[in-house]
Amino acid sequence: MILAATVLVFVALLVLSLPIVFCLGAAGVTGLWLGGFPMQQLGSSLVAASQSWVLLAIPSFVFAGSLMERAGMSHSLVELARALVGWLRGGLGMSVIVVSYFFSDICGSKMAEVSALSSALMPPLARAGYRPEDAASLIASGTAMGMLVPPAIFMIVISAVTNQSAVALFLAGFIPAAIIGLCLCILVLIQAHVLGWPKDTALSWHRLLRASREAAVPMVIPVVILGGFYLGAFTATEAGAIVALYSLLAAVFYYRNVTWMQVLHIAYESGVLTGVVIFLLAVATIFQYLMGLSGVPELLGRLLQPLEATQWLFLTGVAIMTMLFGMLLEGLPAAVVLIPVVFPIATKIGIHPVHFDIVQTAAVGIGLFMPPMGVGLLMALRFANVSVFDHARHYWPYLVALLIGLMLIICIPELSLFLPRSAGFIKQSG
Amino acid sequence: MQAVLAIPKIVTGGLVLLAIGVMLYGVFMRYVMLPITDWLDVDPINFFWVEEVGETTLIWLTLIGAAVGVGERSHFTLTILTHHLPIRAQRIIHVGNNLLIAAFGGLVAWLGLKLAILNAMLTSPALEFSLAWLYASSVVGGILMALYALDAARRPAGPDHEITDVRE
C-alpha cells in the first residue's frame, strides 16, 4: 500500500515534469507520512548523505573539466587523435572515438563533452564527406564509451551508493573503455570501406610530434590520475584537488585565455551542478529507505531469481534495466533509484562489486545515448541537426558495437578487475 | 528579490573554491609538510580539521547549490507530456510544480531547524563546533529553495532546459 502510493506519486509528478529530485522527495514524504515513520528521517538524511569525503571529489573534477574545456584544451586533443589515427581509412571517424577516450579523462561532464566534440569535429567530418547522421553517431557512441573513463561523476556517485573505493572504480574503468573503443574502431574501419570514407591525413611523424607537444598539457591529467591511483599515492578526492589546481594554473598562466571572472563563474556553475547531483543522492536515500521497508529488494530478488544461476545473465538483465532507466531518467537518477536495490542481490550471488559497478556505468553510458530519448543522443543530434528517427537507421551498427563491448565486459570480469587488483585494491581471491 | 537571490550564487562559487582550497591544503600538509617535519624531527603541524571543514563545506554547498539549481532550472527533469499541452495548462503545471518545490523547501527548512535545535549542544569531533551549524544548512537551503521556486512560479515557464542542463 505504502509502496504503491509512493510509486504512484513519483510517476504522476514525473509525468507532470516536476524535477526528478522533487518527485522523489514528494513520494518519500508521502511514504513516510502514510507509513507513520518519523519525518525527521528526511532532515537527517539530507545532511548525512551529503557529509562525504568521497563526494567532495565532484566539485573539483567538475571545476577542472569546465576550466579545461573553456581553455580550449579539447582542440589539442582532437589534433593528437587525428595525428594518431587519421592516416587510416575512416581516420577522422576513428579520431572521434580516440579523442572521446582522451577527453573523458579531463572532462567529468558528458554534456560538456558532446558539446565540445560536436563543435570541434562536426565541421571537419562534414567537409570530409561524412553524413550528419554518421557524425552524430560517432560522437554519441564515442561519448557513451567515455562514460567508463575516469574521472566520471557517475563513478563517484556509484562508488558512494555501493560503498566501494572510488579509486578502485576509476582504475577499473580504463580497460573496459578501451575494449568498447576497440569495438567502435573496428566498426568505423568496416563503415569506412562500405561507405567510402577517406583517409584524413597522411602518416606524419612531424605532425604527431607537434600534436603530442600541444596535447602534453591536458594529457598530464590522465597520467597523474592513472599513475597516482595505481601507485596508491592519493585518494580520488585529493586527485580532484590536484587536478583542479593544475587546470587553473594551465588555463590562467599557460593558455591565458580564461579570466579570473570566468574562473569565478565556472566555480559557481560547478557548485550548482554539485548541489544538484548530491541533493538528488541525498533525497533518494528516503526513497531507498521506504523501498527497503516495503520489501522491494526481496521482491526484485525473487523476480530476478531465474537469472541468479548464471552471473552473466543476471548482469545482462540488470544492465538492460539500467540502460532503459538511463535513457528515461538519465544516469544519476537511475543510479540512486535502481542500483541500491539490485546491488545486494548481485553481491549475494558472487558478482564482484567493482565488476557490477563498471557494468552499470557502461550501461548508463549507453542508455544516455540510446534512441529515442537518451539526452546525450538528443544533444548530439541537435548539433547535427537531424531527427531521432532519421538518425536511428544509421545509428544501429554503433549501438550493436556498444552492446558487444558491454557483453565482453559482462562476460570477462577480469577486464574490469585486472587494474584495481594489480594495484592492490582487490584481494587476490576477489 | 533578485538582488537577494544573487547572494547565494556568489556563496556557491565561494564554497567550491573553499572546498578545493581546503583539500589542497590537506594534500600540501600530507605530502609536503609532514615529511619535512618528520625529517626535521619537530612536532607535525595539525591538519586534522581538513576533512571536517571539507565535509561541512560540501553539506552547505549541496543545500545552497540545490536551491540555486531551482532558480537556474538545473535539476534533472523528464519532459515527455507537458510540452504537448495547451499553453494555459503548461502555465498551471509550471506554477503548481514550483509551489510544490516551495513547500518541499519549507519542509526541509522546518525539519532542519528542529534538528539544529535538537543537536545544538553536540559538537563536532575535530573542531568542536556546534552540530547546529550542520543542520543550519538545511534551514538556509530550504528557505532559499522556497524563495527561488516562488520567484520561478511568477516567471513564464520558459524554454525546456532538460537537455542543456543535464550533465553526467
Side-chain angles (χ1 to χ4, degrees):
Chain A
M1 162 64 187
I2 299 170
L3 181 69
T6 307
V7 172
L8 193 70
V9 169
F10 175 73
V11 173
L13 294 175
L14 195 68
V15 170
L16 289 175
S17 294
L18 184 71
I20 296 169
V21 65
F22 298 108
C23 299
L24 284 169
V29 169
T30 308
L32 290 175
W33 179 62
L34 286 177
F37 303 115
M39 204 55 80
Q40 287 297 6
Q41 185 73 32
L42 173 66
S44 50
S45 293
L46 288 181
V47 169
S50 43
Q51 190 177 12
S52 159
W53 181 247
V54 174
L55 296 177
L56 204 48
I58 294 178
S60 37
F61 277 126
V62 174
F63 176 76
S66 306
L67 253 179
M68 286 186 275
E69 204 266 312
R70 194 72 55 91
M73 292 189 211
S74 53
H75 294 289
S76 54
L77 294 177
V78 168
E79 276 312 303
L80 176 63
R82 290 176 76 170
L84 274 173
V85 293
W87 52 276
L88 292 164
R89 183 169 275 282
L92 189 58
M94 210 176 289
S95 331
V96 178
I97 310 299
V98 174
V99 78
S100 299
Y101 194 96
F102 292 157
F103 195 61
S104 297
D105 251 325
I106 63 163
C107 181
S109 157
K110 284 289 121 199
M111 293 303 129
E113 193 177 333
V114 171
S115 158
L117 294 186
S118 298
S119 347
L121 283 160
M122 288 254 182
L125 282 167
R127 277 197 299 274
Y130 290 73
R131 291 172 301 200
E133 291 87 349
D134 291 317
S137 299
L138 286 163
I139 287 167
S141 56
T143 320
M145 169 273 293
M147 189 81 181
L148 282 164
V149 185
I153 300 171
F154 184 84
M155 280 189 178
I156 301 171
V157 171
I158 198 176
S159 76
V161 169
T162 60
N163 203 19
Q164 296 301 304
S165 152
V167 173
L169 279 193
F170 278 0
L171 280 174
F174 279 106
I175 295 177
I179 294 294
I180 296 184
L182 194 65
C183 294
L184 289 170
C185 283
I186 292 170
L187 171 68
V188 172
L189 272 179
I190 297 169
Q191 292 270 71
H193 280 91
V194 173
L195 299 172
W197 290 342
K199 290 180 182 179
D200 180 32
T201 170
L203 179 60
S204 156
W205 293 107
H206 176 69
R207 185 181 179 180
L208 183 60
L209 204 67
R210 199 186 62 222
S212 304
R213 207 170 44 234
E214 282 172 13
V217 174
M219 287 305 282
V220 163
I221 291 163
V223 172
V224 167
I225 289 179
L226 183 58
F229 288 166
Y230 195 82
L231 298 172
F234 39 65
T235 64
T237 310
E238 289 171 339
I242 293 166
V243 168
L245 177 67
Y246 177 79
S247 42
L248 180 66
L249 295 176
V252 175
F253 297 111
Y254 181 77
Y255 289 97
R256 293 181 191 178
N257 55 3
V258 179
T259 63
W260 287 106
M261 273 312 287
Q262 285 172 320
V263 170
L264 291 178
H265 190 72
I266 288 170
Y268 158 68
E269 287 175 341
S270 311
V272 174
L273 180 59
T274 303
V276 165
V277 168
I278 302 181
F279 190 63
L280 173 71
L281 189 66
V283 172
T285 54
I286 297 296
F287 206 69
Q288 291 153 16
Y289 169 78
L290 287 169
M291 286 207 283
L293 287 176
S294 310
V296 173
E298 291 80 10
L299 181 73
L300 210 62
R302 279 200 298 276
L303 271 174
L304 293 169
Q305 204 167 24
L307 304 177
E308 286 183 8
T310 326
Q311 288 186 357
W312 72 266
L313 211 55
F314 175 84
L315 274 175
T316 307
V318 177
I320 290 170
M321 279 200 286
T322 309
M323 271 190 280
L324 294 176
F325 260 70
M327 181 187 71
L328 282 171
L329 294 186
E330 296 125 29
L332 288 165
V336 296
V337 172
L338 177 70
I339 288 172
V341 182
V342 287
F343 178 70
I345 308 167
T347 49
K348 198 182 88 187
I349 65 171
I351 295 168
H352 196 285
V354 170
H355 183 213
F356 176 84
D357 284 354
I358 289 297
V359 169
Q360 299 319 311
T361 306
V364 159
I366 298 172
L368 270 174
F369 291 89
M370 206 152 92
M373 285 176 66
V375 286
L377 178 68
L378 294 182
M379 187 151 181
L381 294 182
R382 184 181 282 186
F383 275 96
N385 205 17
V386 285
S387 79
V388 177
F389 295 101
D390 288 341
H391 174 254
R393 282 183 291 129
H394 304 276
Y395 189 44
W396 68 265
Y398 296 87
L399 270 180
V400 170
L402 287 170
L403 293 174
I404 290 172
L406 178 66
M407 286 313 295
L408 287 172
I409 299 168
I410 287 174
C411 296
I412 312 172
E414 206 53 27
L415 293 174
S416 310
L417 301 180
F418 173 73
L419 273 182
R421 175 178 286 129
S422 56
F425 286 95
I426 294 174
K427 301 272 185 300
Q428 286 306 315
S429 56
Chain B
M1 181 76 157
Q2 291 303 318
V4 172
L5 293 179
I7 295 169
K9 297 182 178 181
I10 298 165
V11 174
T12 305
L15 285 172
V16 169
L17 297 178
L18 174 67
I20 294 172
V22 165
M23 285 187 286
L24 280 172
Y25 179 77
V27 170
F28 179 73
M29 295 309 287
R30 179 173 304 179
Y31 297 104
V32 180
M33 290 311 288
L34 209 56
I36 292 175
T37 50
D38 271 357
W39 184 66
L40 293 172
D41 200 20
V42 294
D43 286 340
I45 304 164
N46 278 331
F47 61 100
F48 59 88
W49 51 269
V50 161
E51 197 164 321
E52 200 167 278
V53 172
E55 288 179 0
T56 307
T57 308
L58 186 65
I59 295 171
W60 277 86
L61 179 60
T62 300
L63 271 299
I64 296 180
V68 176
V70 170
E72 299 275 324
R73 297 180 189 164
S74 298
H75 287 280
F76 304 93
T77 306
L78 182 68
T79 310
I80 48 172
L81 174 76
T82 45
H83 58 297
H84 295 301
L85 296 174
I87 297 293
R88 192 174 153 73
Q90 283 188 38
R91 175 77 194 143
I92 291 168
I93 291 170
H94 170 73
V95 172
N97 281 350
N98 278 298
L99 290 179
L100 197 60
I101 294 170
F104 187 77
L107 181 66
V108 167
W110 170 242
L111 294 172
L113 183 66
K114 280 171 65 172
L115 282 167
I117 294 167
L118 192 70
N119 291 287
M121 300 309 288
L122 299 175
T123 56
S124 70
L127 290 175
E128 298 184 346
F129 60 78
S130 166
L131 290 189
W133 284 106
L134 289 186
Y135 296 100
S137 60
S138 293
V139 181
V140 175
I143 291 171
L144 285 174
M145 207 169 275
L147 289 177
Y148 277 114
L150 291 174
D151 185 51
R154 289 189 307 121
R155 287 186 275 129
D160 289 338
H161 282 234
E162 80 280 13
I163 294 171
T164 47
D165 287 339
V166 173
R167 296 169 191 138
E168 288 308 312

